[in-house]
Amino acid sequence: MKKLISMVMAAAMVVSLVPATAFADTGSAKAVAKVIDSVDVAEDADKETVLNNEKVELQLKVDGNGQYAAGSTPKHELTFTLDGAEFKAVSATEIAKNVFVKGTAVDASKITEVEKDSFKLTITNVELKDEDIISVKLGPNMKLKSTSVGKKATISVDGDMVTTDDLTFAEVKDTGVKASVKKVAEITEEGVSALERELKIESNVGDFKVGQRFELKLSAGFEFNKLVGKGDTYGTPATEDTTSKYKVIDNGKGERTAVIEVTDATDTITVKADNLVISADTAKVGTECKLTVKAVKGTAGFNDTADAIVVAKVVADAIEVSVDEDEDVPVIYSGVNVANEGITDDSDHKALEVTIKEPTAGTLDAKKVLTMELPDGVYVTNVESNDDFDADEVAFAAAYKKGDYEKFEFARRTLDATEEGQDAGELKFTLTLVAEPGFTGDVTLKVDGAGLDEAQEVKIAKFVAPYTVEASQNNLIIDYRNTKIPTNIVVKEAEDGLWKKNSQFVFGVDKFEDDDFENDATYTVDDKSDLEVKTIKDKLGFKIDKESADDAATVTISNISLYMSRNLAAGAYDLQLNTTGSDVFMEQAILAPAGVDVAEATVKYQYYDNDAHFDEVVKEGFVNIITAGRDKDDASFTKKVVVPVGEKYIIAGEEQVALDVPAYISAAGYTMLPVRAVATALGINNNNVLWNQASRTVTILYGQRIITMVAGQKVVTVNGNTIPASATVQIKDGRTFLPMRDLATALGVTDITWDAATKTATMNGNQNK
């Protein structure tokens, strides 16, 4: 806050800077002028004494040449002129007391041409260096001509060291009061809260005098619960807070107004947050509490009123969403229907009971809908709720969002167990859950909407798979005979005794029929679990003949042969699993939103899906066909491909293809081409250019060729044969690059040219000549 007699404009050393001007001779010093600690003055100040104790001064700091030329005895003359102020004692002797050169007061003989608002200073035989200061104190022996609002007192300098415009060292401003609080407090309806941050009452200019009073008034609907001074719980008249320099004259308990009084001259009164407590007596949710601070003269001071500030706002209490933390989180098997008619009957599908507690009656009955969201792949088949709310299974079914079956949306008036003024209620409910085959992990219920400032989440269940499947990708070439898959499929039981007798595991590959598998696959059970299986005729799969005992079982399927039809396209095909549980899972009824035309009693249901089977993908790209039947021999590339270095495109035939990372010249001088872009431009299917992040390996599949290259290595492998490369395989901006001629060699392209003038690589440029 700017003080009546001493406060500054921001930092203590900054007001005005004026660059130096002309010089008398080559030995002269130059200086920069500025005013230090300029002051704001109240309009009722005494113009004769207002500057008496101030530190305000004009400073001339030597800058530039620094020191006179050797042997010179330079002389400097400076004339100082006041405007809006004048000297109280107009004499060289009095003025000299306040003029200093290098920290030493000047002799009165150096002060000449003295007027009530000006004087001349002559400096001789003084060696001036950089940073030396010439100063004129503007507080002592100085008075203002006027204290009318807007008036300024300035000083200017004219001389061989520096010439300035008017520099302001005092300005008269309006008195006034400013109130502030850094953060708005939140109060519930009929609730009580202290301020969130301290209240500051500041003077616009000058100090508040002892005896100055302030009236604090709250807007309608709010009252002071307490306004305290030092050491008193509720505050009584004349209670003081000496640390904040005020006392309580009227604490305003139970009223909208209160009065405090200044006990020590200051420019800021601070009311601690805990000392000012407000109650929302009749104010409703959303209402802001405005505090008006009015200066009342009392025994001293001035009258003024600050703009009202917002100190609090009424908010709805947030609802609480919880589960019993002492209860274990239920573990449920995915892919098993609610009746446990799948591969296991050892699964309880009920989640933890959820409690949504209202802080005040009617909180859940808000204009904003209340939503409850489940993870993708988890579904509700039944709901059990308490009787306190109108929220039985029918209400939940109506709220279940049609189409995705992951979210409940409770419209307004759906959950209206209590009315305002009554006791708050609790909504308790338990969801019965199922999850798609393959879903694993925690089930978190996310609650958002009415009565919540932000969403709340609770963990209500955990799904685990009753089995895990381990399989690898197999790169296969189409032939006229059945092709052996070189890797095994391993199926592991989640825990011993889980797979019940007669449960089936049937595997398939996308686009292949059951009879495309030979019946010579081998099924091996580990020697610890006592599990026994039977093969399923004409299918790749097994049936549980005896359940595991002491250890969970592992079944390995090996020697798998697959008939490769010549009409299959090259590309990747997924491994799928269909279990006993998969089929019955699809046939179960789940809770459905209102409007679905399936009814059971008063609750609407619908079937999860109309498909007859649910085939879970357990390994993407299990079979990767790299050569179609017609491509038994290596094909040759004929398409012309032009790669301009540095450009974000290549030309394949007549088509321009955009690149996200262009070709470039390496530091060693090699032309580095983007592998995927060039390969696909030549005609290789994009799906046959594979990237393995773990091993940082690129694999290109074309004809009979299997080409691999590893980032950082200086070799390329073609059908198992290692070919040295000119430079290491590089990764740049997420793309793989190989030297031009190495890539051409790997792809079998022999027609490749390089135009150094245009920095352009061309493949198959002579094919059509």
Side-chain angles (χ1 to χ4, degrees):
M1 193 70 205
K2 295 176 182 172
K3 297 184 178 180
L4 171 65
I5 304 180
S6 69
M7 196 153 164
V8 296
M9 302 176 95
M13 295 296 294
V14 179
V15 176
S16 302
L17 292 177
V18 179
T21 57
F23 303 99
D25 54 62
T26 56
S28 297
K30 62 179 181 178
V32 175
K34 62 181 177 180
V35 168
I36 304 299
D37 286 345
S38 64
V39 296
D40 291 336
V41 178
E43 59 181 322
D44 60 351
D46 183 349
K47 61 185 179 181
E48 293 283 339
T49 62
V50 68
L51 300 177
N52 279 359
N53 300 318
E54 292 307 307
K55 297 179 180 179
V56 59
E57 67 180 34
L58 171 68
Q59 287 187 356
L60 306 182
K61 179 184 286 187
V62 176
D63 182 27
N65 292 338
Q67 187 172 347
Y68 295 107
S72 65
T73 56
K75 175 182 178 181
H76 291 288
E77 294 181 339
L78 299 168
T79 298
F80 299 86
T81 303
L82 300 173
D83 186 18
E86 59 187 27
F87 300 114
K88 288 187 286 188
V90 185
S91 70
T93 301
E94 291 300 321
I95 292 174
K97 294 178 181 178
N98 295 299
V99 179
F100 300 83
V101 176
K102 298 174 63 172
T104 303
V106 301
D107 187 86
S109 64
K110 304 298 182 182
I111 305 297
T112 59
E113 300 180 16
V114 176
E115 302 288 343
K116 64 179 180 180
D117 58 3
S118 66
F119 68 92
K120 183 177 180 179
L121 169 66
T122 302
I123 304 173
T124 57
N125 300 321
V126 179
E127 185 178 75
L128 297 175
K129 299 179 180 179
D130 281 348
E131 306 298 322
D132 285 345
I133 300 293
I134 301 165
S135 62
V136 179
K137 292 188 178 296
L138 301 175
N141 196 34
M142 191 74 65
K143 64 181 178 179
L144 300 181
K145 290 183 178 180
S146 172
T147 55
S148 298
V149 173
K151 293 293 184 180
K152 295 182 179 179
T154 65
I155 187 168
S156 62
V157 187
D158 185 18
D160 51 9
M161 291 181 68
V162 62
T163 297
T164 73
D165 294 328
D166 291 341
L167 303 177
T168 300
F169 62 89
E171 182 176 0
V172 183
K173 293 187 176 181
D174 279 323
T175 57
V177 174
K178 182 176 72 175
S180 63
V181 63
K182 290 186 177 180
K183 187 174 180 181
V184 174
E186 293 184 346
I187 308 176
T188 59
E189 288 184 336
E190 300 182 2
V192 177
S193 175
L195 293 190
E196 187 70 24
R197 295 287 189 272
E198 62 187 14
L199 169 68
K200 284 190 175 182
I201 304 172
E202 300 172 279
S203 169
N204 188 45
V205 58
D207 278 347
F208 297 131
K209 296 179 174 59
V210 176
Q212 173 74 61
R213 292 183 179 181
F214 299 98
E215 180 185 84
L216 281 58
K217 186 174 183 179
L218 301 174
S219 53
F222 299 89
E223 293 186 352
F224 286 104
N225 182 266
K226 62 180 179 180
L227 175 61
V228 303
K230 182 180 178 181
D232 192 339
T233 303
Y234 280 94
T236 57
T239 299
E240 295 186 18
D241 186 338
T242 56
T243 60
S244 297
K245 302 179 181 180
Y246 75 92
K247 63 182 177 181
V248 179
I249 301 301
D250 180 353
N251 67 8
K253 182 181 177 183
E255 302 291 341
R256 290 175 55 199
T257 61
V259 178
I260 62 176
E261 183 178 289
V262 177
T263 57
D264 191 4
T266 180
D267 65 347
T268 303
I269 294 295
T270 302
V271 181
K272 297 181 178 65
D274 291 341
N275 284 357
L276 205 166
V277 182
I278 297 171
S279 63
D281 185 38
T282 59
K284 299 299 181 182
V285 171
T287 305
E288 292 181 337
C289 176
K290 292 184 178 180
L291 174 68
T292 301
V293 179
K294 181 179 181 181
V296 183
K297 195 161 189 177
T299 60
F302 52 88
N303 298 329
D304 204 351
T305 301
D307 291 335
I309 58 169
V310 176
V311 295
K313 183 178 180 179
V314 181
V315 297
D317 286 342
I319 64 175
E320 295 180 7
V321 184
S322 63
V323 295
D324 189 343
E325 295 184 356
D326 293 332
E327 292 286 336
D328 293 333
V329 176
V331 176
I332 310 172
Y333 288 106
S334 56
V336 179
N337 76 348
V338 71
N340 288 328
E341 297 172 331
I343 61 175
T344 178
D345 55 8
D346 186 17
S347 187
D348 183 359
H349 291 262
K350 284 189 177 182
L352 289 179
E353 182 182 62
V354 178
T355 300
I356 299 182
K357 184 177 181 180
E358 287 185 317
T360 57
T363 303
L364 291 177
D365 179 24
K367 292 181 180 180
K368 188 177 179 181
V369 299
L370 181 74
T371 63
M372 303 179 192
E373 188 172 357
L374 293 165
D376 185 17
V378 177
Y379 305 93
V380 177
T381 64
N382 190 48
V383 180
E384 298 174 8
S385 64
N386 63 331
D387 297 330
D388 290 349
F389 280 76
D390 181 17
D392 57 13
E393 196 172 352
V394 175
F396 272 86
Y400 212 12
K401 187 176 180 182
K402 184 176 181 180
D404 61 16
Y405 308 109
E406 296 158 15
K407 182 184 290 186
F408 293 89
E409 290 188 354
F410 294 91
R412 191 179 182 219
R413 299 296 178 189
T414 301
L415 302 172
D416 57 350
T418 58
E419 298 293 337
E420 293 181 9
Q422 298 179 353
D423 292 337
E426 290 184 344
L427 170 61
K428 294 179 179 288
F429 60 91
T430 303
L431 303 177
T432 301
L433 305 174
V434 293
E436 292 180 354
F439 179 92
T440 58
D442 293 335
V443 177
T444 301
L445 182 69
K446 180 179 178 180
V447 183
D448 197 5
L452 283 164
D453 293 330
E454 58 183 20
Q456 294 189 33
E457 295 182 352
V458 287
K459 184 165 71 174
I460 60 174
K462 181 177 181 178
F463 275 97
V464 298
Y467 52 81
T468 57
V469 177
E470 298 175 359
S472 303
Q473 180 173 295
N474 299 274
N475 297 323
L476 304 181
I477 300 174
I478 289 180
D479 207 336
Y480 289 103
R481 62 187 181 277
N482 288 351
T483 301
K484 183 176 180 180
I485 295 177
T487 64
N488 300 330
I489 299 172
V490 179
V491 188
K492 294 183 178 181
E493 191 177 24
E495 61 176 292
D496 60 280
L498 184 62
W499 297 342
K500 63 184 181 182
K501 187 174 181 178
N502 295 323
S503 297
Q504 295 186 6
F505 293 78
V506 179
F507 290 91
V509 176
D510 185 30
K511 307 299 183 183
F512 287 79
E513 303 295 334
D514 287 341
D515 57 7
D516 288 336
F517 293 94
E518 289 292 301
N519 286 323
D520 54 359
T522 302
Y523 301 86
T524 305
V525 182
D526 66 283
D527 56 5
K528 295 181 179 180
S529 64
D530 292 332
L531 184 83
E532 295 181 5
V533 301
K534 291 182 178 179
T535 60
I536 302 175
K537 187 178 181 181
D538 299 327
K539 293 182 184 294
L540 180 64
F542 59 90
K543 180 179 182 180
I544 306 302
D545 191 46
K546 179 183 176 183
E547 298 175 6
S548 61
D550 297 330
D551 292 284
T554 298
V555 180
T556 302
I557 308 175
S558 55
N559 300 318
I560 304 169
S561 295
L562 182 64
Y563 178 74
M564 306 287 284
S565 174
R566 293 173 65 85
N567 62 3
L568 289 168
Y573 296 84
D574 298 336
L575 179 66
Q576 301 170 336
L577 173 60
N578 183 19
T579 69
T580 306
S582 301
D583 291 343
V584 294
F585 179 87
M586 300 302 298
E587 298 169 358
Q588 69 189 325
I590 66 170
L591 202 61
V596 177
D597 191 19
V598 180
E600 179 178 314
T602 58
V603 178
K604 292 182 179 294
Y605 292 89
Q606 77 162 24
Y607 289 113
Y608 169 75
D609 201 296
N610 292 324
D611 294 341
H613 300 285
F614 187 102
D615 293 325
E616 176 193 359
V617 174
V618 291
K619 175 60 182 177
E620 294 182 351
F622 175 68
V623 170
N624 184 52
I625 299 176
I626 61 175
T627 308
R630 62 182 179 277
D631 294 331
K632 185 173 182 180
D633 297 325
D634 273 349
S636 61
F637 297 108
T638 59
K639 184 181 290 186
K640 179 180 177 181
V641 176
V642 179
V643 186
V645 171
E647 301 292 342
K648 284 195 172 183
Y649 67 87
I650 61 176
I651 299 173
E654 301 297 326
E655 180 183 3
Q656 181 171 302
V657 181
L659 296 177
D660 51 359
V661 184
Y664 66 96
I665 305 296
S666 71
Y670 293 106
T671 302
M672 306 296 288
L673 302 186
V675 173
R676 180 182 293 275
V678 172
T680 55
L682 286 168
I684 297 175
N685 189 299
N686 185 62
N687 291 331
N688 287 344
V689 182
L690 311 174
W691 167 252
N692 186 308
Q693 177 64 35
S695 62
R696 294 169 61 81
T697 302
V698 175
T699 302
I700 302 175
L701 310 171
Y702 181 73
Q704 296 282 7
R705 290 175 181 258
I706 301 178
I707 305 165
T708 60
M709 57 195 77
V710 180
Q713 293 188 5
K714 201 175 179 180
V715 295
V716 178
T717 302
V718 180
N719 292 342
N721 298 315
T722 300
I723 303 172
S726 303
T728 59
V729 180
Q730 297 293 317
I731 303 296
K732 180 179 174 63
D733 296 334
R735 297 300 181 192
T736 307
F737 285 80
L738 191 65
M740 172 181 67
R741 298 197 180 278
D742 297 326
L743 181 58
T745 299
L747 294 172
V749 177
T750 58
D751 180 6
I752 181 167
T753 58
W754 168 251
D755 188 334
T758 61
K759 295 184 178 180
T760 301
T762 303
M763 295 182 177
N764 300 326
N766 301 307
Q767 291 291 325
N768 297 318
K769 292 183 178 180

